[in-house]
Amino acid sequence: MPERSISRRRLLTGAAGAAGLALATAACGGVRPEPSTGSTGAGGKVKVTMFAFLGGDLGKMPKEFAKEYEQAHPNVQVEIYEQSNSVGYTRMLAQQKASPDQPLVNFGFFNAQTSVQGIDDKMWAKLDYSAMSNSADIDPRFQREDGHGIGIGVDQFGLVYNKDKISKAPTSWAALWDHAYQGKVSFFGFPWYAVYMAAKLNGGGLDNMEPGWDLWEREAKQIRLLVESNPQYLNVLSNGTAPMTAYFAGTGQQWINSGAPLTYVVPSEGAIPLPIYMQAVQGSTPQQLEVVHDMINEMISPKWCARWAEVSVEAPANVKAPLPAKLKDLPAFQKSTTDAFQDIDYAIVGRNNAQWQKRWETDIASRI
Amino acid sequence: MLRRHRSAYLLAAPSLVVLAAVFVGAMLTLLEYSFHEYVPGGADIPGTIATWAEFLTSGYHWGVVTETVRLGLLSTVVAALVGYPTALALHRIRRPGWRYAGLFVIFAPLLTSVVARTYGWELVLGDSGLLNGVLGGFGLGPVELLYQRSSVVIALVHILLPFMVFPILSSLGQLDPALDEAAGDLGAGSLRRFVKVTLPLTAPGLLAGAQLVFALSISSFATPSLLGGGRVNVLATDIYDNVNNVDWPLAAVSSYALLILAVVALAIFGWLQRRTARAEQGGVTAAGAAPRGVRGWGVWLALVYAFVLLPLAIIVVNSFSSVSFGTWPPPGFSTKWYANLFEQDGLGEAALLSLQVALIATVITVAIGTAVATALVRYRMPGRSVIQSLVLSPTVVPKVAFGFAGFIFLHRLGLFGGTAGLVATHVVIMLPFVVIVLTAALMRADATLEAAAKDLGAAPFRAFRLATLPQVRPALIAAALFAFVVSFDEVDMTVFLLAPDQSTLPVWMFVYMQKYQDPTLAALSTLLIGAALIIAGFVALLLLRSGILATKKGNNE
């Protein structure tokens, strides 16, 4: 297709010229701004919508980046859509079914599970790593051979507990089903990682989760409640209703920073890494994809990767990105922690997630 | 036949057009999905009954259906047991100003968002909450109420109480006092008069309230989801899980299971209402008696007011908390959450869009709802029960499912992302509230007055406006208020229907809640409660100056 051969430089300079012309004409009072719909924004700009995570300060870096990018590229208009991966991806999928040529968003942040799900749903456009100068600096563990996304950061699952309510600090994943903590455990929705670790410590693994299911069926009474939102999570952990859980180190640290009496523990068996990928979305116009490629390349640069790590409390995926000073001393960011990460095949997690979730609801959640 | 029933069909037509164009279209989309099968890994097989078979043969799903019915029945019974005496007590208040103040208190929970209310209940019912603190002071407890079915029922009764009280109050207001007096003159005691006269004659209001509470309970999502702690698995939460799990066919089947459940319930309530209706046998033909005074009912009202206001008071206090997480009592006090609120982007635009949608949708809904309610009560046209079921059916479809179906359907219509689509979907979910409240009121309104006006030469609309409308005025105001609040507080459905660059106030709150965990939303709720108090005070002043309150009293005398 001829449009695809438009180079980024030609597109950006050409569109900048058009934008300049439009601006000059508008200054003379001859042009009314168009409504920002579809792929064209106000004043004929290329409009792209970025998906950003909801929660804590996760929207800060995308907004800061968008502002700077718009200033440097006056022909580009960036909208930000903040939503959780689960709700946001459902809407993206519904939009894909209804209007495949008008995706809800053009690119954005997606966790490893959603990224795998998106491959099956043909949601993602392949990224051309050879045209992205910063891609070579991304830790090879967070590059993808199929070009479906590229890593920007990596969060991790470990144990979070209330240090005022629990005198004996948990050290192992097995604490989740230790009867000393019976009725004190909470989870957010379906915690596949808790089932996985129960399986792993009892002779199974991602390809054989049965030992994990058996254990949680027996030990469902360990769980005081399943929460539905982050504020509820923070409340039940902080006020002692259910003072222990397994959750993201990043979110846990943000809660700790806000004054909650919580502590994050890296379990002795290793934390579970959760890579965060930047993905481009199929159905975007060639112009949008050109811009998206350029924006993703900028976002995975050392500068922006480090900023993402700082606001999300994650390890940066770019090996040249400096680790923010305030994260350096945290247990989650020690080399020993990242070296000892559990080896997770997210292709298995992504493909089984729906089935596992159903089983969790029918076999475990119904017994708590 | 069509010619004979033309007036009835014309009155019902606007509502039917809106429902057919928006609700039926969206639900047909959902029906189509129910005959798909989702295979993990992205495959979607159309034209199969596999998902229906999976649902109908699964013990888990039958358990979810049972829990849904149990929660609906419990909430309805408790709401009726609390709501009927409350309506009776409010009806007995002599001073109209106090009666309206009482009504406002009962209505108050609807002025706060579900997010804020839930937060309040967590602080009251939690292990280290207010209730257990009080019990501990007496050497009792702690009791585990939170994250159990009991906390869900308490919170549902709290929010649904107005839906029970207002229709009963409306029936009490239309009660012919001569009948009660006649029974007294014939020697019946107060209990006998209540059982034989008051209760049967107010049964339409009680049933209308029960119908609303049951329908809203079984389709409620946020309360069981947030206060059930994962233990209260009902169809609405099941649908939400399946939508997020991308198993849309199963979500569609669960939605239809809920719809069938609701249609059965509506049929039962409809049958009971027909059995108890007395509209055809003469309505209010005598002037009402003066209210008898509250007397011993004051204690009951005080308890109900405390129950209704407690979580709201907790929200107000917590908005001044010095810490970001919810704990009771707050360790210190600060106004920083109010300062933080006014620094937020997009709040003003979201509030404006919410007001715009709620106002337009309320005007449309009250107009077309009054028309269809009149058709349903005053005419016996063929297809009446079908029309009634269709009009009421949006109540029982979970907002999550309708929002999801509406999202796809609005895309097909090219209305996604605009205000028109939002207003249309809001009209659909508000319509049943207006129709239920007005139907109960119209059943008790005296049709002979309108007939007399027509006999004297008034055109049908003029006769309705002059003879019937004044009789149902309180119900009309209540219906408009319900409709406005339902729209203004709607989040479960609207979250699916907004384009990325749009937001309404409750969706803004919902999004904020997922970003930050601090009492900023409690501060916003406090301001909304304050604004509602100012508006209520202003309205009360207008009513007093216009003499409406005095007129009401005069009529009763």
Side-chain angles (χ1 to χ4, degrees), chain A residues 53 85 109-116 248 274-277 279:
Chain A
F53 291 120
N85 252 202
F109 296 77
F110 296 91
N111 66 33
Q113 279 167 266
T114 311
S115 291
V116 171
F248 295 116
L274 185 75
I276 306 299
Y277 291 97
Q279 298 282 2

Side-chain angles (χ1 to χ4, degrees), chain A residues 238-257:
Chain A
S238 300
N239 64 25
T241 302
M244 188 163 73
T245 190
Y247 202 43
F248 295 116
T251 310
Q253 192 58 46
Q254 286 177 28
W255 289 342
I256 293 164
N257 294 345

Side-chain angles (χ1 to χ4, degrees), chain B residues 2 4 11 36 44 69 140 142 148 195 201-202 226 248 252 281 320 369 372 379 386 392 433 477 486 495 508 543 545:
Chain B
L2 204 64
R4 190 149 49 98
L11 285 168
H36 284 226
D44 185 7
V69 175
L140 301 168
Q148 313 282 343
V195 173
L201 288 175
T202 53
L226 293 171
W248 298 344
Q281 295 160 34
F320 294 101
V372 74
Y379 297 89
V386 174
L392 300 183
F433 295 93
I477 294 169
V486 165
V495 78
W508 184 91
L543 291 172
R545 290 183 69 172

Side-chain angles (χ1 to χ4, degrees), chain B residues 178 180-188 193:
Chain B
D180 187 65
E181 285 165 16
D185 290 347
L186 292 169
R193 289 205 309 272

Side-chain angles (χ1 to χ4, degrees), chain B residues 48-124:
Chain B
T48 170
I49 58 163
T51 309
W52 278 99
E54 181 195 336
F55 185 92
L56 294 172
T57 55
S58 155
Y60 169 73
H61 285 113
W62 281 111
V64 171
V65 172
T66 308
E67 182 64 34
T68 307
V69 175
R70 190 182 292 138
L71 188 68
L73 286 174
L74 270 171
S75 304
T76 307
V77 168
V78 176
L81 289 174
V82 177
Y84 198 96
T86 304
L88 212 53
L90 286 169
H91 181 67
R92 295 171 72 107
I93 296 177
R94 281 206 181 97
R95 296 181 65 175
W98 284 113
R99 191 184 310 135
Y100 282 100
L103 285 173
F104 182 77
V105 170
I106 300 296
F107 197 76
L110 292 173
L111 302 173
T112 56
S113 84
V114 66
V115 177
R117 284 194 306 270
T118 305
Y119 188 54
W121 278 118
E122 283 179 356
L123 294 174
V124 173

Side-chain angles (χ1 to χ4, degrees), chain B residues 239-302:
Chain B
I239 291 161
Y240 185 79
D241 289 342
N242 285 318
V243 167
N244 284 339
N245 209 10
V246 204
D247 194 345
W248 298 344
L250 192 55
V253 170
S254 298
S255 301
Y256 271 91
L258 189 51
L259 191 60
I260 292 164
L261 197 66
V263 168
V264 171
L266 283 178
I268 294 169
F269 278 115
W271 177 75
L272 287 170
Q273 258 188 336
R274 278 194 297 279
R275 277 181 65 91
T276 54
R278 298 286 187 272
E280 300 293 348
Q281 295 160 34
V284 182
T285 52
R292 294 170 186 172
V294 174
R295 289 180 222 159
W297 290 98
V299 178
W300 172 262
L301 275 181

Side-chain angles (χ1 to χ4, degrees), chain A residues 184-353:
Chain A
K184 293 181 175 178
V185 176
S186 55
F187 288 122
F188 195 135
F190 160 54
W192 66 268
Y193 36 89
V195 182
Y196 160 67
M197 285 311 302
K200 179 90 186 282
L201 298 183
N202 289 281
L206 278 178
D207 49 0
N208 174 24
M209 295 277 271
E210 286 309 317
W213 293 119
D214 291 344
L215 184 143
W216 279 112
E217 270 188 46
R218 285 196 313 273
E219 306 294 351
K221 293 293 174 201
Q222 287 287 118
I223 303 168
R224 172 71 197 276
L225 78 153
L226 301 170
V227 299
E228 294 284 342
S229 70
N230 270 330
Q232 188 188 15
Y233 218 170
L234 175 62
N235 281 336
V236 299
L237 285 165
S238 300
N239 64 25
T241 302
M244 188 163 73
T245 190
Y247 202 43
F248 295 116
T251 310
Q253 192 58 46
Q254 286 177 28
W255 289 342
I256 293 164
N257 294 345
S258 74
L262 305 175
T263 299
Y264 174 76
V265 174
V266 179
S268 54
E269 300 87 357
I272 294 178
L274 185 75
I276 306 299
Y277 291 97
M278 298 303 302
Q279 298 282 2
V281 178
Q282 283 275 23
S284 306
T285 66
Q287 281 184 321
Q288 286 174 321
L289 285 177
E290 287 276 356
V291 173
V292 162
H293 260 82
D294 188 57
M295 290 179 77
I296 291 179
N297 187 46
E298 291 292 322
M299 291 172 87
I300 59 171
S301 66
K303 173 191 166 185
W304 287 108
C305 225
R307 180 63 181 142
W308 170 249
E310 190 177 0
V311 297
S312 64
V313 197
E314 289 178 9
N318 189 315
V319 293
K320 290 183 180 169
L323 188 63
K326 65 180 185 184
L327 305 184
K328 275 180 182 161
D329 296 330
L330 298 175
F333 294 90
Q334 302 310 304
K335 189 172 180 306
S336 56
T337 300
T338 52
D339 285 349
F341 272 157
Q342 288 282 322
D343 186 17
I344 303 294
D345 184 347
Y346 274 100
I348 297 177
V349 178
R351 292 200 175 101
N352 288 287
N353 193 53

Side-chain angles (χ1 to χ4, degrees), chain B residues 495-507:
Chain B
V495 78
F496 282 92
L497 301 174
L498 295 170
D501 56 353
Q502 283 181 307
S503 192
T504 59
L505 192 62
V507 171

